[in-house]
C-alpha cells in the first residue's frame, strides 16, 4: 500500500499533465492549422468531389487532380502576378534595408543632438496604419505619375518597413561594442569604412531578420496594391486572386484555393529557412 | 608587415579628396545617413497624412481637385447611419477580437512555456497563420464559411447531428460579424502567443520555486508573479494589436466586403468603398481622418506603458 502511493501519484500527475497541457495544445494546433489543410485539400480536389459531401468524405481526396493548378498557371496570368509580387517585395525590401541601416547607424552610433527625437519620430511612423493613408497616398502617387505602376508599390512599401527595420537594427547596433569602432577611428578609418567593414558584418543576423520581416510584410501587403494598381497584369498575388479570380456568382473554389496555396508558399518557404531569426526579431522588437 | 609597407599603407589615407573629408565631417554624414529614410517617410507618410487631413475638408473627387467645404463631410457623416454603424462595429470588432486573441494567446503562451518535446518546431508551426498573407487565409475562411459547402456545418449537422440546418455564416448581420471576429482571432493568436512567450521566458524560475516553497497555489503564482512581470510586454503587444485590429481592412474586404446590408463595414473598408470605387476621395479621407483620434489614444497608451516599464526597471535612459 505504502509503496503504491508514489506510483499512483506520478501516474495521476502524468494524466493531469496530458489533460491540462497536451490536449489543449493539440486543440490549438488543430484549429490553427486546419484552414491550411482545408486549403490544400480543396486545391487538389476534382470539382465533382468538391461539391458532393454525401458520396465522398470531404476530409480526404479519393482522386486527386492537378487540374486546378494547371488552370491557374496556364489559363490565368498567375505566373505574371507572382513575378510582380516577387519583384515588388525584393525592391521594397532592398530600399528599406539600405535606408534603415543608414538611419539606424546615424541614430545609434553617430549620436548627434536630437538623435533620440529622430528615433522617436521613426517609431511613431510605425504607428500610422496604411488604412488611413491610402486615399491621400493615391493622390500623391497619381501626381508623381506612378499610378498603376509597380514602382508606386516599391516606393510606398518602405514607409511601413523602414520604421520597423530601423528599430530592429538600432537594437542590434547597440549590442556591438563601441570600442571596436573607436579603435578603427584611431587607426584612421573613415566612418563609412567603419560601417562597411566592422559594424555591418557584425550586424548580419540583424540584417537577415530585418530582411525577412520586410519581405514577408511586403508580400502580404494588400491595401496599397489594391488602391494603386488597376490593370490586371500588374497586380500582386493577394489582390489579383481576390479581384481577378472571384468573378460572377459561381466561385471556382478549387482554383481559388490553389491560388491561395501557391501565393502562401513562397513566404512559407522563405520563413522556414529563417524561423529562428524571425522569432527572435519578432520577440526582440516587442521587448525593445 | 615591415616599416616600409606600413608607411605605404598609411600614405593614401592622408591625401583624401574632398568627398572623403566631407564624409568625415559629422553633420554632413548624419544628414547623408538620415536622408533616405526620412526622405521616404516625409514624402510618402507625413505629406500624405497632412494631405489626407486637408482633403477631409474638401469635396475632392477622383481626378478632380476639390474646394474647401469646411466641416461639411463630417456633418454629413454624423447623419449617415452606415458610417455610424461602421464606427460602432469597428470598436466592437476591436474589443471582441482583442479579448479573444489575448485570452487564447496567453493560454497558448503558458502552454508553450512548459517543457515540451519538439518545442521549437511547434513554435514555428504556430506562427504560420501570422506569416501567410491575410487575404489568402481570409479566402480559406470564406470557403469554410460557405453557406452550402461549409465544412463546419458538415461536421455539426451531418457528422455530429447537433443541428438540422446548415449555418448561414455570412448571410445575416450577427453571424457575419462573429465569423469575421473569429477569423481575426485565428490570425492574431500566434503573434500574441509568441510575444508573450518571450516575456514569460524572461521570468526567473527561482521566483516560482520560492513561491512553491512558501505553499502558493498555481493561481496565486500566476496572479502574483506571472501577471505583474508580464504586464509591461503585455501593454506593448496590446497596443500594437489594438492599433492594427482597429485599422484592419483585409479580412473584412476579402470575406464580406462590408455586407450583408453594410452591417460589417469597418471604418477602413467604408473609407475605401466611398473613396476609391465611389470616387468621393474627400469623403473617404474624412472617414479615415475620423480614425485618427482613436489611434492617438492607443499610441499615448503605448508611450506611457513603455515609459512606465523603464521606470519600473529603474533604468534611466536605455
Amino acid at each position: 500500500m505504502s509503496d503504491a502511493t508514489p506510483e499512483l501519484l506520478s501516474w495521476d500527475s502524468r494524466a493531469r499533465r496530458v489533460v491540462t497541457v497536451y490536449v489543449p495544445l493539440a486543440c490549438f494546433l488543430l484549429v490553427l492549422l486546419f484552414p491550411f489543410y482545408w486549403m490544400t485539400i480543396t486545391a487538389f480536389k476534382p470539382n465533382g468531389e468538391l461539391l458532393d459531401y454525401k458520396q465522398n468524405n470531404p476530409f480526404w481526396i479519393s482522386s486527386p487532380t492537378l487540374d486546378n493548378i494547371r488552370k491557374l498557371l496556364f489559363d490565368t496570368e498567375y505566373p505574371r502576378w507572382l513575378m510582380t509580387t516577387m519583384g515588388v517585395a525584393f525592391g521594397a525590401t532592398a530600399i528599406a534595408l539600405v535606408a534603415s541601416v543608414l538611419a539606424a547607424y546615424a541614430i545609434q552610433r553617430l549620436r548627434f543632438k536630437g538623435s533620440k527625437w529622430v528615433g522617436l519620430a521613426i517609431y511613431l511612423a510605425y504607428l500610422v496604419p496604411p488604412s488611413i493613408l491610402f486615399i491621400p497616398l493615391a493622390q500623391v502617387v497619381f501626381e508623381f505619375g506612378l499610378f498603376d505602376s509597380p514602382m508606386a508599390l516599391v516606393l510606398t512599401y518602405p514607409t511601413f518597413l523602414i520604421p520597423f527595420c530601423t528599430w530592429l537594427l538600432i537594437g542590434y547596433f547597440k549590442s556591438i561594442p563601441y570600442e571596436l569602432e573607436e579603435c578603427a577611428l584611431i587607426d584612421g578609418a573613415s566612418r563609412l569604412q567603419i560601417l562597411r567593414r566592422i559594424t555591418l558584418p557584425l550586424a548580419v543576423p540583424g540584417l537577415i531578420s530585418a530582411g525577412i520581416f520586410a519581405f514577408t510584410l511586403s508580400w502580404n501587403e494588400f491595401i496599397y496594391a489594391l488602391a494603386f494598381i488597376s490593370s490586371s497584369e500588374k497586380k500582386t498575388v493577394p489582390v489579383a486572386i481576390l479581384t481577378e479570380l472571384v468573378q460572377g456568382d459561381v466561385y471556382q473554389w478549387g482554383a481559388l484555393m490553389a491560388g491561395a496555396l501557391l501565393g502562401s508558399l513562397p513566404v512559407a518557404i522563405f520563413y522556414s529557412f529563417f524561423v529562428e531569426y524571425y522569432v527572435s526579431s519578432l520577440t526582440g522588437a516587442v521587448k525593445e | 608587415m615591415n616599416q616600409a609597407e606600413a608607411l605605404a599603407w598609411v600614405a593614401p589615407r592622408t591625401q583624401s579628396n574632398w568627398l572623403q573629408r566631407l564624409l568625415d565631417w559629422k553633420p554632413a554624414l548624419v544628414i547623408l545617413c538620415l536622408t533616405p529614410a526620412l526622405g521616404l517617410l516625409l514624402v510618402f507618410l507625413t505629406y500624405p497624412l497632412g494631405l489626407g487631413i486637408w482633403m477631409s475638408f474638401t469635396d475632392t473627387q477622383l481626378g478632380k481637385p476639390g474646394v474647401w467645404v469646411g466641416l461639411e463631410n463630417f456633418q454629413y457623416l454624423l447623419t449617415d447611419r452606415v458610417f455610424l454603424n461602421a464606427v460602432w462595429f469597428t470598436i466592437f470588432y476591436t474589443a471582441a477580437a482583442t479579448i479573444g486573441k489575448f485570452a487564447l494567446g496567453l493560454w497558448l503562451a503558458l502552454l508553450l512555456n512548459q517543457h515540451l518535446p519538439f518545442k521549437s518546431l511547434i513554435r514555428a508551426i504556430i506562427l504560420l497563420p501570422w506569416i501567410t498573407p491575410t487575404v489568402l487565409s481570409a479566402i480559406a475562411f470564406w470557403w469554410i464559411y460557405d453557406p452550402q459547402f461549409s465544412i463546419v456545418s458538415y461536421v455539426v449537422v451531418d457528422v455530429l447531428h447537433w443541428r438540422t440546418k446548415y449555418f448561414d455564416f455570412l448571410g445575416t448581420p450577427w453571424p457575419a460579424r462573429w465569423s469575421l471576429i473569429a477569423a481575426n482571432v485565428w490570425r492574431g493568436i500566434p503573434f500574441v502567443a509568441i510575444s508573450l512567450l518571450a516575456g514569460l521566458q524572461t521570468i526567473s524560475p527561482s521566483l516560482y520555486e520560492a513561491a512553491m516553497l512558501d505553499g502558493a497555489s498555481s493561481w496565486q503564482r500566476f496572479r502574483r508573479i506571472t501577471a505583474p512581470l508580464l504586464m509591461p510586454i503585455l501593454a506593448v503587444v496590446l497596443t500594437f494589436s489594438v492599433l492594427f485590429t482597429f485599422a484592419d481592412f483585409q479580412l473584412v474586404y476579402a470575406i464580406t466586403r462590408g455586407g450583408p446590408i453594410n452591417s460589417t463595414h469597418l471604418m477602413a473598408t467604408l473609407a475605401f468603398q466611398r473613396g476609391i470605387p465611389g470616387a468621393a476621395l474627400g469623403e473617404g479621407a474624412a472617414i479615415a481622418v475620423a480614425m485618427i483620434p482613436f489611434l492617438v489614444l492607443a499610441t499615448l497608451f503605448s508611450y506611457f506603458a513603455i515609459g512606465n516599464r523603464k521606470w519600473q526597471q529603474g533604468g534611466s535612459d536605455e
Side-chain angles (χ1 to χ4, degrees):
Chain A
M1 192 66 183
S2 60
D3 51 28
T5 318
E7 209 173 287
L8 193 73
L9 193 76
S10 84
W11 188 87
D12 192 47
S13 77
R14 197 176 301 160
R16 198 186 136 98
R17 194 169 151 80
V18 166
V19 172
T20 56
V21 177
Y22 292 111
V23 171
L25 195 62
C27 292
F28 268 114
L29 283 177
L30 190 74
V31 171
L32 289 178
L33 292 183
F34 179 74
F36 296 110
Y37 173 73
W38 194 230
M39 203 192 258
T40 316
I41 214 155
T42 309
F44 295 105
K45 262 187 197 173
N47 265 339
E49 241 179 276
L50 192 62
L51 303 180
D52 185 4
Y53 290 174
K54 299 280 179 282
Q55 313 275 317
N56 311 286
N57 176 4
F59 288 105
W60 200 241
I61 322 173
S62 33
S63 46
T65 171
L66 287 175
D67 258 13
N68 295 318
I69 310 260
R70 192 184 49 76
K71 208 184 289 170
L72 191 73
L73 290 182
F74 297 106
D75 297 351
T76 69
E77 290 180 277
Y78 198 82
R80 190 103 186 244
W81 300 330
L82 216 50
M83 291 312 289
T84 312
T85 319
M86 198 79 87
V88 167
F90 275 119
T93 304
I95 292 179
L97 274 186
V98 171
S100 315
V101 163
L102 292 174
Y105 184 73
I107 291 167
Q108 171 60 23
R109 279 298 148 91
L110 297 179
R111 294 189 181 282
F112 53 96
K113 216 175 171 184
S115 59
K116 254 176 74 183
W117 293 108
V118 176
L120 187 67
I122 289 181
Y123 173 71
L124 284 181
Y126 191 58
L127 300 176
V128 181
S131 45
I132 65 170
L133 285 179
F134 69 95
I135 289 176
L137 205 50
Q139 192 91 333
V140 173
V141 162
F142 197 76
E143 281 165 23
F144 285 173
L146 292 171
F147 197 77
D148 199 21
S149 144
M151 223 23 225
L153 304 182
V154 175
L155 287 174
T156 49
Y157 285 2
T159 54
F160 56 85
L161 303 179
I162 288 174
F164 186 85
C165 294
T166 307
W167 271 87
L168 201 76
L169 289 169
I170 286 178
Y172 263 91
F173 287 162
K174 220 183 262 175
S175 68
I176 298 168
Y178 192 58
E179 289 75 17
L180 285 176
E181 292 193 15
E182 279 175 338
C183 291
L185 264 182
I186 291 166
D187 286 348
S190 74
R191 290 280 189 171
L192 284 186
Q193 275 179 322
I194 295 175
L195 176 63
R196 201 158 58 92
R197 296 271 169 81
I198 295 172
T199 315
L200 278 189
L202 288 172
V204 164
L207 287 175
I208 295 179
S209 307
I212 305 162
F213 237 92
F215 182 82
T216 43
L217 281 177
S218 346
W219 190 278
N220 297 357
E221 207 286 332
F222 182 71
I223 193 166
Y224 287 168
L226 180 70
F228 305 156
I229 305 288
S230 60
S231 43
S232 159
E233 75 274 7
K234 291 177 193 153
K235 283 180 176 164
T236 62
V237 170
V239 176
I241 288 183
L242 208 59
T243 55
E244 302 289 320
L245 294 185
V246 181
Q247 275 163 351
D249 286 336
V250 183
Y251 303 126
Q252 299 288 326
W253 287 113
L256 264 177
M257 290 298 125
L261 191 68
L262 283 188
S264 312
L265 270 184
V267 224
I269 292 168
F270 203 67
Y271 161 79
S272 65
F273 281 122
F274 300 103
V275 178
E276 283 311 311
Y277 289 110
Y278 198 89
V279 172
S280 70
S281 63
L282 173 66
T283 52
V286 173
K287 274 191 263 178
E288 193 56 46
Chain B
M1 192 184 282
N2 61 37
Q3 208 179 2
E5 274 178 41
L7 280 174
W9 181 79
V10 174
R13 271 162 222 260
T14 47
Q15 37 171 258
S16 50
N17 58 22
W18 64 270
L19 188 68
Q20 272 169 339
R21 272 206 303 277
L22 184 71
L23 289 182
D24 272 338
W25 187 50
K26 216 167 118 181
L29 191 63
V30 167
I31 291 168
L32 190 83
C33 283
L34 288 177
T35 306
L38 291 188
L40 274 170
L41 289 178
L42 280 177
V43 175
F44 293 111
L45 195 125
T46 316
Y47 170 59
L49 194 61
L51 184 67
I53 294 171
W54 185 78
M55 275 166 82
S56 68
F57 294 102
T58 68
D59 62 351
T60 314
Q61 302 276 318
L62 205 60
K64 180 173 89 59
V67 290
W68 180 267
V69 293
L71 287 171
E72 211 172 271
N73 283 327
F74 293 100
Q75 275 165 354
Y76 165 71
L77 285 176
L78 281 179
T79 62
D80 179 9
R81 291 194 64 89
V82 176
F83 171 74
L84 293 178
N85 188 54
V87 174
W88 171 83
F89 180 59
T90 311
I91 294 170
F92 177 76
Y93 177 81
T94 311
T98 307
I99 292 170
K101 260 185 268 196
F102 274 78
L104 294 171
L106 181 61
W107 187 15
L108 183 56
L110 289 170
L111 291 176
L112 287 174
N113 202 30
Q114 313 264 347
H115 289 287
L116 294 170
F118 309 114
K119 197 167 174 174
S120 57
L121 180 71
I122 294 176
R123 206 171 54 169
I125 292 174
I126 278 171
L127 267 177
L128 271 180
W130 199 63
I131 58 142
T132 44
T134 313
V135 170
L136 304 184
S137 53
I139 292 175
F141 269 93
W142 191 21
W143 172 222
I144 289 174
Y145 292 151
D146 191 87
Q148 268 181 294
F149 301 105
S150 165
I151 189 68
V152 178
S153 297
Y154 171 80
V155 170
V156 171
V157 177
D158 295 332
V159 179
L160 298 169
H161 301 289
W162 285 351
R163 271 171 70 106
T164 50
K165 248 179 71 195
Y166 270 30
F167 291 106
D168 184 16
F169 285 108
L170 303 176
T172 43
W174 275 105
R177 288 176 184 141
W178 286 113
S179 303
L180 289 173
I181 289 167
N184 187 290
V185 169
W186 176 83
R187 197 186 131 73
I189 287 175
F191 172 70
V192 175
I194 299 296
S195 315
L196 293 186
L197 178 64
L200 285 176
Q201 281 168 345
T202 61
I203 301 175
S204 160
S206 58
L207 291 174
Y208 293 107
E209 283 160 20
M212 259 151 99
L213 285 177
D214 288 347
S217 68
S218 61
W219 167 249
Q220 280 174 321
R221 270 176 278 150
F222 177 79
R223 174 75 191 74
R224 302 284 173 191
I225 301 174
T226 316
L229 288 175
L230 204 57
M231 211 38 89
I233 200 166
L234 192 78
V236 177
V237 180
L238 185 70
T239 313
F240 275 99
S241 174
V242 166
L243 212 64
F244 289 108
T245 312
F246 193 87
D248 197 9
F249 174 85
Q250 310 192 16
L251 261 181
V252 173
Y253 188 81
I255 299 179
T256 65
R257 303 233 171 155
I261 38 171
N262 292 326
S263 61
T264 59
H265 260 308
L266 293 175
M267 289 166 88
T269 54
L270 191 67
F272 179 83
Q273 200 198 33
R274 298 270 168 90
I276 309 280
L281 286 177
E283 198 187 318
I287 297 173
V289 166
M291 292 165 73
I292 293 177
F294 297 100
L295 298 174
V296 168
L297 274 179
T299 311
L300 286 178
F301 179 75
S302 152
Y303 182 77
F304 287 112
I306 294 170
N308 277 343
R309 184 172 70 120
K310 279 175 185 161
W311 171 76
Q312 277 173 352
Q313 288 175 341
S316 54
D317 205 353
E318 298 297 286

